[in-house]
Amino acid sequence: MQKGFTLIEFLVYTAIVVVVGVISVEFIINIYGGKAKTQSYFEVQENARLAMERITQEIHGAQSINTSDFGVNLANTLGAKLSLQFRDAALNPTEFDVVGNVLRIRQGAAGPYELTNNQVRVTNLTFRNFSSPGGKSKNIGVELTIEYVNPSNLPDWQAGISLRSAVELKDR
Amino acid sequence: MFFKIKNKNIVGRERGQTVIEVLVAVSIFAALSTSAVFLILGGFESVRYGGDAEVATAFAQEGIDAARSIANQGWGELPVGGPYGMSSASGFWELSGSGDVSGNFSRTVSVSQVYRDGGGNIAPAGTLDPRTKKITAQVTWETMVGRPNLLNLISYFTLWVSRAWTETTTVDFSDGTFTNTQPAAVGDGAVTLTGIPGSGFNLLGSYNTPSSSFDARDVFAVGNTAYLITDNNTTGPELYIVNVTNPASPVLLGSLNLNAAANSIYVSGNYAYIASTNNSQELQIVNITNPAAPTLAGFYNTPVSDDATDIWVSGSYAYLVTVASSNRELYKINITNPAAPSLTGSTEIGGTVNGIHVSGSYAYLATALNSQEMITVNITPATPTVSGSYNSSGTSDGRDIFVDGTVAYLVTQPNAANEFYTINITNPAAPALLGSASWGSAGTTYAIFKSGNTVFVGNSVAASAVQYFDVTNPAVPTLTGAITTVGSGVLGLYYLNNYLYLASANNNSELQIYTSPPGGYAVSGTYTSSVFDATTAAAWNFVSWSETLPVGCDIRVQIRTATTFGGISSAEWAGPNGKDGNPADWFTNAANEAIHPDHTGDEFIQYKIEFTGPGTDTGTIEDISFEYQI
């Protein structure tokens, strides 16, 4: 009797250990996945926020628009750019482009400087010229998509953000 | 723990406690792990919410800047109201619908009015500032079903890039078309309804001397005082000093008995100089310092007892003329001491002198001489010398004369030809006729006075005792009309400050005061401006003007715009409701009125001001301004 009990007990213990173990592993995986999701989302959000703020600030301050590539995705098009003209000659031209899925800015002789880091990929940056025909309004629409670098397509690391805005040139 | 449990099992004691321990352990583990899972999921939820807020912010910012783009295209293109949607379908931003959707995000843009307090700060209430608008972009979304979120971005737009087309000076307005309107010299230039000069003369008031039966013979006005002289009043005064501050009811200030009929009066300084029929006091000098108690200061007695007919004072001398005398009719009398005037020199004219007017170095005489009705006399020498003369047609006596500049105006006794002559006296030695006219009446001519472009002539015909001529062109004197209400002849007249004073033979109103009714104005008229070129397609924002509107007057404005200069003439006149085809639509708020966005994109503008009034007065527009953006 004493030995049988011991075996049953052992079996119960084993089952409990297995269950608890499985739960624990699941739990740890969950924690890890949550951390990954949070980190990847944070990364794309912060990159997108910085990129958008910089683009908005530059367009707001610009005086006019140089020949630029409107309506095309700068991330897919080699050499495509947005070029802005300022009253301050040192800033001319101010250009945004995307090379290797990294957003860059060049201002006059300075740069190019990267505005997004290697954790994220700019997969869409499209500018649209919404300036009025008479030229009284100069306005640029901006579409920006940034995704987390995730070459293995792991679900937990899939994060992206798409922003859409429009910016009026205020220096007139 | 497990090892511990196992150890206890090996010991083989306390088995019941072991199960409880397991349960406790599992419970603790479950609680902890659940907390951790919630923590991680909650953190992730926050990250998701942050991402959505970022998208919403960008989307709201697009709404704000789209509205800014529209306001830049034309302030009026972004009217107060909403919620609006924003469309870029045409390649530029336009208002469209009442909202937009992008994915899970819905956006509206609303425009509201802005008020400012006394310090110019934006305030909930105060003065409406039409050049500032408050823009609210609102984005709503659900992070998950049943969890709505809302973001408001607020921005104030100020219209500061405005230009203006302003017309304010006479020159600005001169290139427009005046229809029953006229340029006016108000400020630096203005436009009013066309003025219509008053016509005729109306009796304002009269003064009746206490002694009723003596005709007034002459009148002189200074300031608010009229000096009236009459026929010989055996029982009372001949000089009356009357306060005419209120012409409707003249009030006697004082009077003086001159003991003879007085023919003419000239007031200078504190003295009145009177040409008298008193044979021992042909010139009487009256101290009028105290109008309530005039006193005879002095007199001059001509060597012969001839009635003095007229007098003029110039400088230190009084020039007195008399009826025909044996050897002199013009006396130059030094009046430096009014108490003792002394003769400087006298001149033989050769006949009765009825009137004198001194101008510069010459005295101009109206005489009864048949071939020298007007005589010019050089009065510079101590003894004045005859210089030249003019012979009017016929033999009618010259009766009175008035000189203004280079023209002498002479009236004679009525005759078959003309009684009124304008004579060029540029060369006093050789007066030359300019023109003449007749009033064709009988009776006796008494007096002449000129004011402005009007010459008044008094005569003895009661039904037309004052004839008046327009002498705007002295070569063509034109009889304009007659005063018919005097009730008797007029022996003397004086015009001062819009009032015509008459010395009449009417025994109930020896002094009569007339005025020309005030000029009126056209009851309606328009001013149409020149066409203004904004140099490029413009957005027209506001119209404002400064006006003066007397009771019963109104001013309103319409505009028309076109993309080409040639298109203006066929464009529709419009008011604040834009190109709506309603010709009754007018701008009426002078302070500021918004121009409808219908006009946005038009380069050329023209305005029209419509004036209306009661006929007695006119509104005045001093300047008008159109604000626009290009």
Side-chain angles (χ1 to χ4, degrees):
Chain A
M1 286 294 278
Q2 284 257 357
K3 281 187 177 176
F5 273 120
T6 310
L7 178 64
I8 291 169
E9 270 186 356
F10 176 75
L11 290 176
V12 168
Y13 286 152
T14 308
I16 289 173
V17 167
V18 166
V19 167
V20 169
V22 166
I23 289 174
S24 300
V25 169
E26 191 95 327
F27 172 63
I28 288 164
I29 289 173
N30 242 333
I31 287 179
Y32 178 75
K35 180 243 175 200
K37 255 190 152 55
T38 306
Q39 184 189 334
S40 55
Y41 265 77
F42 256 128
E43 202 66 50
V44 295
Q45 283 176 19
E46 287 308 313
N47 274 279
R49 197 191 308 277
L50 176 74
M52 202 64 180
E53 275 180 7
R54 187 64 187 270
I55 291 169
T56 302
Q57 182 189 330
E58 296 300 334
I59 298 177
H60 266 163
Q63 185 187 7
S64 62
I65 308 165
N66 297 324
T67 306
S68 301
D69 300 287
F70 289 115
V72 302
N73 183 353
L74 270 55
N76 298 344
T77 315
L78 195 65
K81 64 180 187 295
L82 172 72
S83 178
L84 301 170
Q85 192 77 9
F86 284 77
R87 274 183 214 279
D88 181 355
L91 299 177
N92 288 331
T94 291
E95 295 178 344
F96 289 96
D97 62 5
V98 180
V99 172
N101 294 106
V102 174
L103 172 64
R104 306 191 311 174
I105 183 172
R106 183 203 312 266
Q107 294 193 287
Y113 300 115
E114 297 186 346
L115 296 179
T116 54
N117 63 23
N118 57 4
Q119 301 283 299
V120 297
R121 302 166 66 237
V122 176
T123 55
N124 178 27
L125 178 61
T126 305
F127 292 106
R128 299 187 191 279
N129 190 352
F130 292 146
S131 301
S132 68
K136 289 199 283 291
S137 160
K138 298 193 185 89
N139 190 289
I140 296 175
V142 185
E143 290 162 28
L144 174 68
T145 302
I146 291 184
E147 292 174 5
Y148 196 72
V149 173
N150 182 15
S152 311
N153 265 330
L154 299 174
D156 283 339
W157 294 99
Q158 272 183 356
I161 191 167
S162 289
L163 301 181
R164 163 188 156 183
S165 190
V167 191
E168 180 83 358
L169 280 68
K170 290 184 174 176
D171 179 0
R172 49 196 307 270
Chain B
M1 273 167 95
F2 289 102
F3 290 109
K4 191 179 176 188
I5 290 166
K6 279 180 180 171
N7 287 342
K8 284 184 178 172
N9 286 338
I10 290 166
V11 171
R13 296 167 62 187
E14 296 177 317
R15 268 178 287 163
Q17 283 182 349
T18 318
V19 172
I20 289 170
E21 273 189 39
V22 167
L23 290 175
V24 168
V26 167
S27 302
I28 290 173
F29 176 75
L32 284 177
S33 59
T34 308
S35 303
V37 165
F38 270 103
L39 188 69
I40 288 164
L41 286 181
F44 178 61
E45 197 54 46
S46 298
V47 172
R48 260 189 66 187
Y49 174 78
D52 283 351
E54 191 176 338
V55 175
T57 304
F59 192 39
Q61 186 63 43
E62 180 189 65
I64 293 282
D65 271 33
R68 193 185 301 279
S69 172
I70 293 169
N72 282 342
Q73 291 168 47
W75 188 247
E77 301 288 332
L78 188 69
V80 169
Y84 298 118
M86 298 287 166
S87 166
S88 58
S90 306
F92 54 92
W93 290 108
E94 294 171 297
L95 296 181
S96 170
S98 59
D100 304 295
V101 173
S102 171
N104 296 322
F105 298 85
S106 300
R107 180 185 67 202
T108 61
V109 176
S110 302
V111 182
S112 48
Q113 290 177 327
V114 171
Y115 297 86
R116 291 185 187 272
D117 62 19
N121 302 311
I122 291 174
T127 309
L128 177 67
D129 178 1
R131 288 167 189 81
T132 304
K133 284 172 179 168
K134 178 185 179 185
I135 316 298
T136 306
Q138 183 174 86
V139 174
T140 56
W141 74 97
E142 290 185 345
T143 307
M144 58 178 64
V145 176
R147 269 191 61 184
N149 287 290
L150 181 147
L151 173 77
N152 273 329
L153 282 191
I154 293 172
S155 189
Y156 289 92
F157 293 176
T158 307
L159 178 64
W160 61 274
V161 288
S162 210
R163 295 152 191 264
W165 173 43
T166 302
E167 294 214 298
T168 175
T169 66
T170 307
V171 172
D172 291 338
F173 289 122
S174 66
D175 55 5
T177 305
F178 295 89
T179 308
N180 292 329
T181 52
Q182 65 185 16
V186 179
D188 58 0
V191 181
T192 65
L193 283 165
T194 302
I196 299 171
S199 64
F201 288 85
N202 299 332
L203 180 64
L204 269 183
S206 62
Y207 172 70
N208 179 20
T209 59
S211 307
S212 62
S213 57
F214 303 102
D215 297 349
R217 289 203 167 183
D218 199 7
V219 62
F220 198 103
V222 177
N224 291 322
T225 308
Y227 301 85
L228 189 72
I229 50 174
T230 69
D231 277 352
N232 184 19
N233 175 359
T234 51
T235 59
E238 288 87 14
L239 171 65
Y240 297 88
I241 303 176
V242 182
N243 182 337
V244 290
T245 305
N246 176 9
S249 63
V251 177
L252 181 68
L253 291 172
S255 60
L256 181 66
N257 188 346
L258 300 172
N259 293 316
N263 275 328
S264 181
I265 182 168
Y266 194 105
V267 177
S268 176
N270 290 326
Y271 295 93
Y273 301 86
I274 292 160
S276 172
T277 59
N278 185 327
N279 282 337
S280 56
Q281 299 181 348
E282 277 82 359
L283 168 64
Q284 294 175 322
I285 303 179
V286 178
N287 185 332
I288 53 170
T289 308
N290 178 7
T295 55
L296 187 66
F299 60 85
Y300 172 73
N301 181 20
T302 59
V304 289
S305 298
D306 294 317
D307 294 350
T309 53
D310 203 1
I311 187 166
W312 197 275
V313 175
S314 176
S316 300
Y317 298 96
Y319 300 89
L320 188 74
V321 290
T322 67
V323 297
S325 173
S326 53
N327 52 13
R328 62 194 88 176
E329 289 86 17
L330 171 63
Y331 297 86
K332 180 178 181 180
I333 302 166
N334 188 324
I335 52 168
T336 310
N337 178 5
S342 60
L343 183 69
T344 301
S346 60
T347 305
E348 166 65 11
I349 301 299
T352 294
V353 180
N354 288 315
I356 180 171
H357 193 117
V358 174
S359 175
S361 300
Y362 288 86
Y364 300 85
L365 311 180
T367 79
L369 296 169
N370 287 338
S371 59
Q372 293 180 309
E373 279 83 357
M374 183 185 90
I375 289 178
T376 59
V377 180
N378 185 343
I379 56 172
T380 311
T383 300
T385 55
V386 171
S387 173
S389 64
Y390 172 73
N391 179 17
S392 64
S393 62
T395 59
S396 298
D397 295 354
R399 291 291 293 166
D400 202 2
I401 190 164
F402 197 98
V403 175
D404 188 5
T406 60
V407 180
Y409 301 88
L410 176 73
V411 282
T412 70
Q413 278 293 83
N415 58 65
N418 293 325
E419 300 86 26
F420 181 50
Y421 297 87
T422 54
I423 300 161
N424 184 337
I425 50 166
T426 307
N427 177 5
L433 181 70
L434 283 172
S436 60
S438 170
W439 62 86
S441 60
T444 305
T445 306
Y446 287 118
I448 185 169
F449 201 94
K450 175 174 184 286
S451 174
N453 289 320
T454 305
V455 169
F456 303 92
V457 179
N459 67 79
S460 66
V461 179
S464 56
V466 176
Q467 308 277 353
Y468 48 93
F469 294 83
D470 180 90
V471 291
T472 306
N473 177 3
V476 189
T478 308
L479 181 65
T480 314
I483 297 176
T484 60
T485 53
V486 179
S488 73
V490 166
L491 286 77
L493 36 73
Y494 202 97
Y495 191 95
L496 181 69
N497 296 340
N498 295 324
Y499 297 119
L500 177 65
Y501 299 90
L502 303 182
S504 88
N506 185 326
N507 286 332
N508 295 318
S509 50
E510 280 82 357
L511 173 66
Q512 299 189 6
I513 306 171
Y514 282 77
T515 191
S516 184
Y521 293 91
V523 294
S524 68
T526 58
Y527 170 77
T528 308
S529 76
S530 56
V531 177
F532 175 74
D533 179 1
T535 70
T536 183
W540 302 94
N541 293 325
F542 296 102
V543 55
S544 59
W545 64 89
S546 59
E547 63 184 10
T548 308
L549 286 184
V551 174
C553 297
D554 197 15
I555 285 176
R556 47 189 196 168
V557 172
Q558 278 184 331
I559 60 166
R560 59 182 180 184
T561 60
T563 53
T564 62
F565 182 83
I568 279 281
S569 59
S570 57
E572 155 197 351
W573 287 108
N577 294 329
K579 300 177 180 177
D580 60 352
N582 177 10
D585 183 24
W586 294 83
F587 295 102
T588 55
N589 180 4
N592 194 70
E593 204 157 355
I595 296 173
H596 197 277
D598 279 359
H599 299 280
T600 300
D602 286 350
E603 179 179 338
F604 296 88
I605 188 169
Q606 185 179 32
Y607 67 89
K608 178 169 76 175
I609 308 171
E610 186 196 70
F611 295 78
T612 51
T616 54
D617 215 336
T618 178
T620 304
I621 197 156
E622 282 192 59
D623 49 63
I624 184 166
S625 186
F626 297 86
E627 284 178 46
Y628 64 97
Q629 322 163 232
I630 57 173

